[in-house]
Amino acid sequence: MRIEDLLVFVRAAENGSFSAAARELDLTPAVASAALKRLEAELQTRLFVRSTRSLRLTSDGERYLEHARSALTALEAGRDAIAQDKQRISGTLSISMPSDLGRNLLTGWLDDFQREHPAVGFQIRISDRLADFYRQPVDIALRYGAPEDSSLVALPLEPTNRRVLVASPDYLVRHPAPQTPAQLRQHNCLRFLLSDTVHERWRFSQGDTDYTVAVHGDRVSDDGEVVRRWVLAGLGIAYKSKLDVLPDLQLGRLQLLLPQYQGEAAPMYLLCAHRLTLSPTVIRLREYLQSRFARYIQIANPAAL
């Protein structure tokens, strides 16, 4: 049963005329007549007694008119409720986020956001595997790098972020720091697994020259926080997002290597499957996270970076 057919029926009953109902609904008389015929076929009864000069409800039509009006009123109320909800900063968001940054930074920021907007709830999924918006109940994802799927909406949160090469002071006491990217082959490199592919070709640039080094090591993980723990424990060299290790660099727990070379770009994005997902809550959250990233970098960023 079509809502449009109910509208034609109610307007025709109120106006006592098909042509008036058609004009009010911006339809042709033929389309309005077809709508009524569909409704009568669905109900298996006649709703109007029609002649060339008059139109009046049958007894079944009079009984059905009350229910049709109630149905349209309920549908309109539902539409209004959704429209009002879309204007409020409320509701529950399911968010996927990377492991290291999620556990150590983003979850705390979301706590602060909830204190400002107590009507918002979160379902947090912490994983370095890319979220499948079409199979998993995920509203938005916070991820490094532009998505390979061009159908996704990608909104920048921290577009200037890059990877940096780091090691602990303890490791550097035992192993002289590399002076060129090629010397990374002589070190135990702590590698990261993303989508079942080992990230073992580390890229750098210096001026107009690009360098790619195939690195090796005795440890690989699909969890970014595990890689960070390994490098803090002095087990090797890691190629991490700058956002993940800023506090470690600032406090001296890690040291920056090859600062004269620029690491790979690793911009942070907010991803969603469709622009209709960009509710006022998501838009406000994005603005909030952008401001927090800007302040975080300004406060925590060592002079060397």
Side-chain angles (χ1 to χ4, degrees), residues 15-265:
N15 288 284
S17 166
F18 272 122
S19 57
R23 286 194 300 273
E24 187 173 322
L25 297 172
D26 195 23
L27 303 173
T28 66
V31 171
S33 179
L36 182 63
K37 288 179 181 178
R38 281 195 301 270
L39 185 59
E40 289 181 328
E42 176 71 25
L43 297 172
Q44 297 183 354
T45 190
R46 294 290 298 273
L47 297 173
F48 287 104
V49 175
R50 297 179 283 268
S51 70
T52 55
R53 294 187 177 182
S54 66
L55 180 75
R56 65 178 178 83
L57 289 166
T58 65
S59 58
D60 283 346
E62 289 177 351
R63 283 195 295 272
Y64 191 67
L65 179 60
E66 178 182 351
H67 297 288
R69 282 172 171 161
S70 297
L72 292 173
T73 299
L75 289 170
E76 185 66 25
R79 187 181 298 113
D80 291 344
I82 290 175
Q84 291 174 7
D85 285 343
K86 286 184 175 180
Q87 301 307 313
R88 289 202 301 262
I89 305 213
S90 61
T92 299
L93 282 178
S94 178
I95 306 178
S96 174
M97 61 182 65
S99 62
D100 197 340
L101 198 69
R103 290 187 178 96
N104 298 309
L105 195 69
L106 292 174
T107 51
W109 290 357
L110 293 181
D111 291 342
D112 295 340
F113 184 85
Q114 278 188 304
R115 279 189 279 272
E116 292 183 18
H117 304 284
V120 175
F122 293 116
Q123 292 180 357
I124 305 299
R125 294 170 177 264
I126 293 184
S127 171
D128 287 312
R129 290 189 173 271
L130 299 178
D132 187 336
F133 287 97
Y134 307 105
R135 295 184 180 181
Q136 297 175 316
V138 173
D139 298 315
I140 61 174
L142 309 179
R143 283 291 178 264
Y144 290 118
E148 295 181 2
D149 185 349
S150 60
S151 68
L152 296 178
V153 178
L155 303 177
L157 294 175
E158 174 30 53
T160 66
N161 185 56
R162 290 186 173 273
R163 290 187 178 276
V164 292
L165 203 63
V166 293
S168 71
D170 178 60
Y171 178 85
L172 295 174
V173 167
R174 294 178 283 111
H175 306 275
Q179 301 303 307
T180 66
Q183 291 181 5
L184 287 170
R185 298 188 184 97
Q186 304 167 16
H187 288 266
N188 190 43
C189 294
L190 308 169
R191 294 163 296 159
F192 181 70
L193 187 69
L194 181 62
S195 299
D196 300 322
T197 301
V198 179
H199 183 228
E200 56 188 359
R201 295 180 65 83
W202 293 0
R203 296 176 174 84
F204 306 88
S205 63
Q206 187 181 53
D208 296 329
T209 305
D210 296 327
Y211 302 86
T212 300
V213 182
V215 299
H216 304 278
D218 61 4
R219 292 168 186 254
V220 179
S221 176
D222 65 351
D223 189 307
E225 186 180 16
V226 170
V227 175
R228 177 171 165 268
R229 290 181 182 181
W230 286 342
V231 71
L232 286 170
L235 299 175
I237 293 176
Y239 196 32
K240 291 283 291 175
S241 159
K242 183 174 70 174
L243 292 173
D244 290 343
V245 295
L246 274 178
D248 300 319
L249 289 166
Q250 186 183 40
L251 297 174
R253 294 190 293 252
L254 293 177
Q255 292 184 18
L256 183 68
L257 306 179
L258 302 181
Q260 68 274 30
Y261 294 88
Q262 191 172 59
E264 297 175 21

Side-chain angles (χ1 to χ4, degrees), residues 1-9 25 27 35 38 72:
M1 187 176 294
R2 302 182 183 183
I3 297 174
E4 294 80 2
D5 297 351
L6 289 178
L7 282 169
V8 169
F9 167 62
L25 297 172
L27 303 173
R38 281 195 301 270
L72 292 173

